[in-house]
Amino acid sequence: MSTDQLVHLLWTGLLETLRMTIPSTLFAYLIGMPLGVLLVVTRQDHIMPAPRFNAVLGTVINFLRSIPFIILLVLLFPVTRVVMGSGIGTRSVIFPLIISAFPYVARMVEGSLNEVDHGILEAAQSMGSTSWQLIRKVLIPEAMPSLVNGAAICMVTILGYTAMASAAGGGGLGTIAIIKGLNMRQSDIMYSASILLVLLVQIMSLAGAYSTKRIDHRNR
Amino acid sequence: MESNSVPVAGPVIEIKGLHKTYVTTDGRVDALSDVNLTISQGDIYGIVGMSGAGKSTLIRCINRLDTPTSGDVLYQGRSVTAMNRAQLEATRRKVSMIFQQFNLFMQRSVAGNIRYPLEIARVPSDKADKRVRELLKIVDLEDKLNAYPSQLSGGQKQRVAIARALASEPEVLLCDEATSALDPMTTQSILALLQDINKRLGITIVLITHEMAVIRQICTRVAILDGGKVAEEGPVDEVFVHTQSEAGKRLFGILPEAPDEDPDMPSLRIVFDGASAEKPIMSNLIKESGIAINILSANIRHLGGRQYGQMLIEMPSGPHEKETVVAYLTSHGMTVKEVNTK
């Protein structure tokens, strides 16, 4: 394979990887973020206590989180076909990625929101805030640096899942490394695709860490 | 909420038969039992007690950050415990609170912190800006508008917290150990600020503290809390001079903590009850009588330019000297008591 062909192959793979990772992360947050908020605020000692609801939600999320992605991919196949119009391909794999990632996102968000000092919430309560104001204007803004950091971690995790998407014809750098590289014994392809994946992970992590530090007003 | 617009004369806050019981793994703990207090408009009302006396629970029941087990808190005659969410939120805007740990929003600037109560009350932006500047002026932090809490000292943080608490134009300010995390100098400036707010803005202040000095300095009335009960209550100077309760005496440092710390020699206990103004009484006594006085211990406080507390002196050597000393002190308005005479 010529260098040009290799570059073209990797470029296509990179775009496919991003096309799976970015929308999956966004949608996983769209579902996972509200659930993460609910996991925190419905706790007994929090702003909207609903312990029974909290316990049920926690159990469901743990259950979903314990299913390995590759199994979920297979289990969801019929549903994916209905929802995405097709069971295989780069676009279709976004659906199982979202389903697999949102419980993880919910737990991640929960962790970040739990870091917010209870005294700060109490102060806001003592000023007559409604629950919605507490969530939107205090809880989430105060946890923002940690939420951004968590989002970077989630994105990297989803990126890792996309490598397994090759099982459903997902494409991307992972597929290139596994199918063209490993299975067809083209080590140059395997290594270059892997290195590109590693670089992508590094960039995401660094961007996450940098933004986290940048927006945090606690240490100046 | 219509009744809110007409200020009601008399008590602002009434605490009636308040009980709070916590259920822990070790059983039930009575944090408060049958607390009754009346806080009037314009008071700086101090609630003092050792740690674990229940004072924090008590102040948190006033704005329902804690829910009492039984009993009631009335704000302007209306039951806080019976309020629904909307009524409670409206009341909390009129009963602000500051905290020992300041509890500022760390991701908001100083201006952002003070703006928060205005934002949630949907005050228009330009009006809010103006109000933030006014409030910063009151707490003397106009140059810190765009700073973040992490860049401020403890005293400055508490000033921002006070400005934030004042933003909603409250009638009552609750202070939960507001100076306990501050050094003595900063404590003084915060107390002066609270006093100023009370006088200038007519805001009733309820503060809890374990420091008697805080009570002495700014409070008009005091309640001494001991083991979840009110041990003593009244105007500060009265309670200080005629301390009745054991808890009160312990807090004022009037009695030695343990009885065996009593002097082991005959001595005189002199009580300064505020009758003597700032005259150098003891040194005048020595000068005028020529009798040597050996001071064993003294615990004198200045309150509104008067002296309160007591002093323990060794019994003068002869009966004549003793008589002279007692007569001199009594004639200057002090109570003298013989201690440990054989």
Side-chain angles (χ1 to χ4, degrees):
Chain A
M1 187 181 274
S2 73
T3 314
D4 270 4
Q5 280 173 309
L6 181 63
V7 168
H8 179 76
L9 182 71
L10 292 174
W11 177 246
T12 315
L14 177 68
L15 287 182
E16 278 173 357
T17 293
L18 292 176
R19 239 177 269 147
M20 287 185 281
T21 307
I22 294 171
S24 302
T25 309
L26 287 177
F27 281 103
Y29 262 86
L30 221 56
I31 305 168
M33 177 95 182
L35 291 176
V37 170
L38 281 175
L39 276 174
V40 173
V41 299
T42 59
R43 270 202 338 236
Q44 179 64 61
D45 58 348
H46 222 275
I47 56 179
M48 295 166 78
R52 213 174 288 165
F53 172 81
N54 188 283
V56 172
L57 184 62
T59 309
V60 171
I61 282 175
N62 279 346
F63 173 76
L64 287 173
R65 218 158 71 107
S66 59
I67 307 171
F69 175 64
I70 198 81
I71 307 284
L72 199 73
L73 196 67
V74 177
L75 284 178
L76 281 176
F77 194 73
V79 188
T80 307
R81 215 155 50 180
V82 173
V83 176
M84 307 299 286
S86 157
I88 53 168
T90 305
R91 207 175 78 90
S92 299
V93 99
I94 289 172
F95 180 70
L97 276 173
I98 295 167
I99 300 302
S100 181
F102 87 79
Y104 183 74
V105 168
R107 286 290 180 202
M108 215 58 183
V109 168
E110 181 194 19
S112 296
L113 298 182
N114 269 338
E115 288 169 28
V116 175
D117 181 6
H118 209 78
I120 290 177
L121 288 170
E122 249 179 10
Q125 272 179 310
S126 79
M127 290 175 227
S129 312
T130 62
S131 299
W132 177 239
Q133 286 167 336
L134 282 173
I135 293 168
R136 196 172 54 93
K137 287 177 150 306
V138 182
L139 191 61
I140 292 173
E142 287 295 309
M144 199 44 96
S146 175
L147 285 170
V148 168
N149 196 39
I153 294 170
C154 285
M155 205 164 189
V156 167
T157 306
I158 292 171
L159 180 73
Y161 289 170
T162 64
M164 286 180 263
S166 55
L173 289 172
T175 306
I176 292 170
I178 293 168
I179 303 207
K180 292 224 165 71
L182 195 65
N183 295 358
M184 297 168 80
R185 297 177 200 276
Q186 301 188 58
S187 51
D188 55 338
I189 295 181
M190 188 180 78
Y191 284 121
S192 47
S194 300
I195 288 168
L196 212 52
L197 272 173
V198 170
L199 280 176
L200 207 53
V201 168
Q202 290 299 324
I203 290 168
M204 284 176 184
S205 303
L206 284 174
Y210 176 77
S211 326
T212 300
K213 218 180 150 195
R214 191 65 206 279
I215 61 169
D216 195 349
H217 293 293
R218 278 173 300 186
N219 31 31
R220 289 214 159 178
Chain B
M1 292 291 92
E2 286 80 18
S3 61
N4 223 359
S5 53
V6 185
V8 186
V12 182
I13 291 165
E14 289 166 273
I15 296 165
K16 294 190 162 176
L18 209 67
H19 285 265
K20 174 74 182 180
T21 309
Y22 289 107
V23 181
T24 67
T25 44
D26 308 326
R28 293 153 61 89
V29 180
D30 290 317
L32 295 173
S33 36
D34 195 28
V35 174
N36 293 282
L37 295 174
T38 302
I39 297 159
S40 305
Q41 168 69 43
D43 271 350
I44 301 185
Y45 200 107
I47 298 168
V48 66
M50 306 281 185
S51 41
K55 51 194 192 303
S56 195
T57 308
L58 178 56
I59 202 167
R60 291 165 55 87
C61 281
I62 296 178
N63 62 356
R64 227 171 88 185
L65 280 182
D66 260 336
T67 323
T69 310
S70 68
D72 207 353
V73 175
L74 304 183
Y75 168 68
Q76 305 282 30
R78 287 171 299 125
S79 165
V80 174
T81 50
M83 284 176 184
N84 63 28
R85 279 201 83 84
Q87 289 169 328
L88 181 64
E89 280 154 14
T91 301
R92 282 175 171 172
R93 285 172 197 179
K94 292 290 149 199
V95 183
S96 294
M97 193 170 195
I98 58 171
F99 304 83
Q100 180 173 3
Q101 295 306 328
F102 324 122
N103 293 343
L104 296 179
F105 305 130
M106 300 307 283
Q107 305 298 347
R108 278 175 175 253
S109 67
V110 165
N113 266 276
I114 303 172
R115 262 183 95 93
Y116 179 82
L118 303 167
E119 282 175 28
I120 62 171
R122 301 202 165 74
V123 173
S125 184
D126 52 333
K127 239 174 124 180
D129 281 340
K130 208 174 141 238
R131 182 97 183 102
V132 168
R133 280 172 206 284
E134 284 168 15
L135 288 159
L136 277 170
K137 200 171 171 193
I138 291 175
V139 299
D140 201 21
L141 276 180
E142 288 150 292
D143 54 329
K144 297 291 183 191
L145 187 76
N146 296 314
Y148 279 85
S150 61
Q151 300 165 310
L152 304 178
S153 68
Q156 289 172 330
K157 282 181 192 164
Q158 196 60 292
R159 281 170 184 274
V160 174
I162 290 171
R164 186 176 66 173
L166 295 179
S168 57
E169 299 182 41
E171 286 167 23
V172 179
L173 179 63
L174 307 175
C175 309
D176 186 354
E177 296 274 7
T179 58
S180 300
L182 303 173
D183 62 68
M185 280 261 287
T186 314
T187 296
Q188 291 305 312
S189 75
I190 294 294
L191 291 180
L193 176 62
L194 290 177
Q195 205 160 28
D196 182 55
I197 286 164
N198 169 261
K199 285 212 178 89
R200 275 205 304 168
L201 307 176
I203 294 173
T204 306
I205 294 178
V206 182
L207 65 86
I208 65 163
T209 180
H210 61 274
E211 294 168 300
M212 217 56 224
V214 171
I215 301 285
R216 218 166 46 233
Q217 198 163 342
I218 67 165
C219 291
T220 52
R221 281 185 85 87
V222 62
I224 299 171
L225 217 57
D226 188 32
K229 295 191 178 79
V230 178
E232 207 166 338
E233 199 271 343
V236 169
D237 44 3
E238 233 169 76
V239 170
F240 188 85
V241 178
H242 305 291
T243 316
Q244 306 290 323
S245 63
E246 281 302 312
K249 287 174 182 170
R250 241 184 359 253
L251 281 163
F252 281 110
I254 286 178
L255 277 188
E257 294 262 338
D260 58 332
E261 278 175 31
D262 255 343
D264 50 6
M265 59 182 85
S267 37
L268 292 175
R269 193 185 287 282
I270 307 160
V271 180
F272 292 69
D273 62 358
S276 58
E278 295 175 76
K279 278 179 282 182
I281 275 263
M282 295 314 287
S283 84
N284 284 350
L285 165 64
I286 296 166
K287 254 189 263 165
E288 286 174 33
S289 66
I291 299 169
I293 303 282
N294 184 19
I295 298 174
L296 298 172
S297 72
N299 206 340
I300 311 289
R301 272 122 202 218
H302 295 266
L303 186 72
R306 291 172 177 278
Q307 294 177 312
Y308 297 91
Q310 55 178 284
M311 186 184 279
L312 213 56
I313 63 169
E314 197 184 331
M315 188 70 82
S317 43
H320 174 69
E321 282 87 349
K322 182 188 118 187
E323 237 168 74
T324 316
V325 168
V326 172
Y328 183 89
L329 292 173
T330 321
S331 71
H332 283 81
M334 264 155 290
T335 316
V336 184
K337 235 170 72 186
E338 291 183 29
V339 188
N340 221 340
T341 43
K342 298 199 168 101

